[in-house]
Short mmCIF file of all heavy atoms in Angstrom, two decimals:
data_model
loop_
_atom_site.label_atom_id
_atom_site.label_comp_id
_atom_site.label_asym_id
_atom_site.label_seq_id
_atom_site.Cartn_x
_atom_site.Cartn_y
_atom_site.Cartn_z
N ASP H 476 -46.25 21.89 -45.39
CA ASP H 476 -47.19 20.85 -45.02
C ASP H 476 -46.46 19.55 -44.69
O ASP H 476 -46.80 18.86 -43.70
CB ASP H 476 -48.18 20.63 -46.16
CG ASP H 476 -49.18 21.77 -46.29
OD1 ASP H 476 -49.30 22.53 -45.31
OD2 ASP H 476 -49.80 21.90 -47.36
N MET H 477 -45.51 19.21 -45.51
CA MET H 477 -44.72 18.00 -45.24
C MET H 477 -43.99 18.10 -43.91
O MET H 477 -43.89 17.15 -43.11
CB MET H 477 -43.72 17.76 -46.38
CG MET H 477 -42.86 16.53 -46.19
SD MET H 477 -43.82 14.99 -46.20
CE MET H 477 -44.37 15.00 -47.90
N PHE H 478 -43.52 19.31 -43.61
CA PHE H 478 -42.75 19.52 -42.38
C PHE H 478 -43.60 19.30 -41.14
O PHE H 478 -43.25 18.58 -40.23
CB PHE H 478 -42.16 20.93 -42.41
CG PHE H 478 -41.30 21.25 -41.22
CD1 PHE H 478 -40.05 20.71 -41.13
CD2 PHE H 478 -41.78 22.05 -40.20
CE1 PHE H 478 -39.25 21.02 -40.05
CE2 PHE H 478 -40.98 22.35 -39.10
CZ PHE H 478 -39.71 21.82 -39.03
N TRP H 479 -44.78 19.96 -41.10
CA TRP H 479 -45.59 19.84 -39.89
C TRP H 479 -46.17 18.44 -39.78
O TRP H 479 -46.42 17.94 -38.67
CB TRP H 479 -46.67 20.90 -39.83
CG TRP H 479 -47.84 20.80 -40.75
CD1 TRP H 479 -48.06 21.51 -41.85
CD2 TRP H 479 -48.96 19.92 -40.60
NE1 TRP H 479 -49.25 21.16 -42.46
CE2 TRP H 479 -49.83 20.19 -41.67
CE3 TRP H 479 -49.34 18.96 -39.67
CZ2 TRP H 479 -51.04 19.52 -41.87
CZ3 TRP H 479 -50.54 18.29 -39.85
CH2 TRP H 479 -51.38 18.58 -40.95
N ARG H 480 -46.44 17.77 -40.90
CA ARG H 480 -46.95 16.42 -40.82
C ARG H 480 -45.93 15.47 -40.21
O ARG H 480 -46.27 14.59 -39.40
CB ARG H 480 -47.35 15.93 -42.20
CG ARG H 480 -48.66 16.53 -42.70
CD ARG H 480 -48.95 16.14 -44.14
NE ARG H 480 -50.18 16.76 -44.60
CZ ARG H 480 -50.55 16.78 -45.87
NH1 ARG H 480 -49.77 16.24 -46.80
NH2 ARG H 480 -51.70 17.34 -46.22
N GLN H 481 -44.69 15.65 -40.59
CA GLN H 481 -43.63 14.82 -40.01
C GLN H 481 -43.51 15.07 -38.51
O GLN H 481 -43.38 14.10 -37.71
CB GLN H 481 -42.31 15.08 -40.72
CG GLN H 481 -42.24 14.56 -42.13
CD GLN H 481 -40.93 14.90 -42.83
OE1 GLN H 481 -40.13 15.68 -42.29
NE2 GLN H 481 -40.72 14.35 -44.01
N GLY H 482 -43.54 16.35 -38.11
CA GLY H 482 -43.45 16.65 -36.67
C GLY H 482 -44.61 16.08 -35.90
O GLY H 482 -44.45 15.50 -34.82
N LEU H 483 -45.82 16.23 -36.45
CA LEU H 483 -47.00 15.73 -35.76
C LEU H 483 -47.00 14.21 -35.72
O LEU H 483 -47.48 13.60 -34.77
CB LEU H 483 -48.25 16.25 -36.47
CG LEU H 483 -49.56 16.13 -35.69
CD1 LEU H 483 -49.49 16.92 -34.40
CD2 LEU H 483 -50.72 16.65 -36.55
N LEU H 484 -46.47 13.58 -36.78
CA LEU H 484 -46.40 12.12 -36.79
C LEU H 484 -45.50 11.60 -35.68
O LEU H 484 -45.81 10.58 -35.05
CB LEU H 484 -45.91 11.66 -38.18
CG LEU H 484 -45.82 10.14 -38.37
CD1 LEU H 484 -47.19 9.50 -38.22
CD2 LEU H 484 -45.22 9.82 -39.74
N ILE H 485 -44.41 12.29 -35.44
CA ILE H 485 -43.49 11.87 -34.37
C ILE H 485 -44.19 11.97 -33.02
O ILE H 485 -44.10 11.05 -32.18
CB ILE H 485 -42.22 12.75 -34.39
CG1 ILE H 485 -41.40 12.47 -35.66
CG2 ILE H 485 -41.37 12.49 -33.16
CD1 ILE H 485 -40.20 13.39 -35.82
N ILE H 486 -44.91 13.08 -32.78
CA ILE H 486 -45.59 13.25 -31.51
C ILE H 486 -46.69 12.20 -31.35
O ILE H 486 -46.89 11.65 -30.25
CB ILE H 486 -46.16 14.66 -31.43
CG1 ILE H 486 -44.99 15.66 -31.43
CG2 ILE H 486 -47.00 14.87 -30.19
CD1 ILE H 486 -45.39 17.10 -31.53
N GLN H 487 -47.43 11.91 -32.42
CA GLN H 487 -48.45 10.88 -32.35
C GLN H 487 -47.85 9.52 -32.05
O GLN H 487 -48.41 8.73 -31.27
CB GLN H 487 -49.23 10.83 -33.66
CG GLN H 487 -50.17 11.97 -33.87
CD GLN H 487 -50.86 11.91 -35.24
OE1 GLN H 487 -50.33 11.31 -36.18
NE2 GLN H 487 -52.01 12.55 -35.36
N THR H 488 -46.70 9.25 -32.63
CA THR H 488 -46.02 7.96 -32.36
C THR H 488 -45.62 7.85 -30.90
O THR H 488 -45.78 6.79 -30.26
CB THR H 488 -44.78 7.84 -33.25
OG1 THR H 488 -45.16 7.98 -34.62
CG2 THR H 488 -44.10 6.48 -33.04
N ILE H 489 -45.11 8.96 -30.33
CA ILE H 489 -44.75 8.95 -28.91
C ILE H 489 -45.98 8.72 -28.04
O ILE H 489 -45.96 7.92 -27.10
CB ILE H 489 -44.06 10.29 -28.53
CG1 ILE H 489 -42.75 10.45 -29.31
CG2 ILE H 489 -43.79 10.34 -27.03
CD1 ILE H 489 -42.10 11.81 -29.11
N TYR H 490 -47.07 9.38 -28.37
CA TYR H 490 -48.30 9.26 -27.57
C TYR H 490 -48.82 7.82 -27.62
O TYR H 490 -49.15 7.23 -26.59
CB TYR H 490 -49.35 10.22 -28.08
CG TYR H 490 -50.73 9.94 -27.51
CD1 TYR H 490 -51.01 10.18 -26.17
CD2 TYR H 490 -51.75 9.44 -28.34
CE1 TYR H 490 -52.26 9.93 -25.65
CE2 TYR H 490 -53.00 9.16 -27.81
CZ TYR H 490 -53.25 9.41 -26.47
OH TYR H 490 -54.49 9.14 -25.97
N HIS H 491 -48.89 7.24 -28.82
CA HIS H 491 -49.41 5.86 -28.94
C HIS H 491 -48.48 4.87 -28.23
O HIS H 491 -48.98 3.90 -27.61
CB HIS H 491 -49.57 5.49 -30.41
CG HIS H 491 -50.64 6.29 -31.10
ND1 HIS H 491 -50.55 6.68 -32.42
CD2 HIS H 491 -51.81 6.81 -30.64
CE1 HIS H 491 -51.62 7.37 -32.74
NE2 HIS H 491 -52.41 7.46 -31.67
N GLY H 492 -47.19 5.08 -28.33
CA GLY H 492 -46.26 4.19 -27.60
C GLY H 492 -46.42 4.29 -26.11
O GLY H 492 -46.37 3.28 -25.39
N ALA H 493 -46.63 5.51 -25.61
CA ALA H 493 -46.81 5.70 -24.17
C ALA H 493 -48.11 5.05 -23.69
O ALA H 493 -48.14 4.41 -22.62
CB ALA H 493 -46.83 7.21 -23.84
N VAL H 494 -49.18 5.20 -24.46
CA VAL H 494 -50.45 4.59 -24.08
C VAL H 494 -50.35 3.08 -24.10
O VAL H 494 -50.90 2.39 -23.24
CB VAL H 494 -51.56 5.08 -25.02
CG1 VAL H 494 -52.84 4.30 -24.81
CG2 VAL H 494 -51.82 6.55 -24.81
N GLU H 495 -49.65 2.53 -25.06
CA GLU H 495 -49.48 1.09 -25.13
C GLU H 495 -48.65 0.56 -23.96
O GLU H 495 -48.92 -0.51 -23.43
CB GLU H 495 -48.82 0.69 -26.46
CG GLU H 495 -48.67 -0.79 -26.67
CD GLU H 495 -48.03 -1.13 -28.00
OE1 GLU H 495 -47.79 -0.19 -28.79
OE2 GLU H 495 -47.77 -2.31 -28.25
#
Side-chain angles (χ1 to χ4, degrees):
D476 287 343
M477 180 64 67
F478 183 75
W479 73 256
R480 284 174 182 168
Q481 289 178 351
L483 196 60
L484 181 61
I485 293 174
I486 295 172
Q487 286 177 336
T488 304
I489 296 173
Y490 168 70
H491 293 146
V494 170
E495 183 180 355

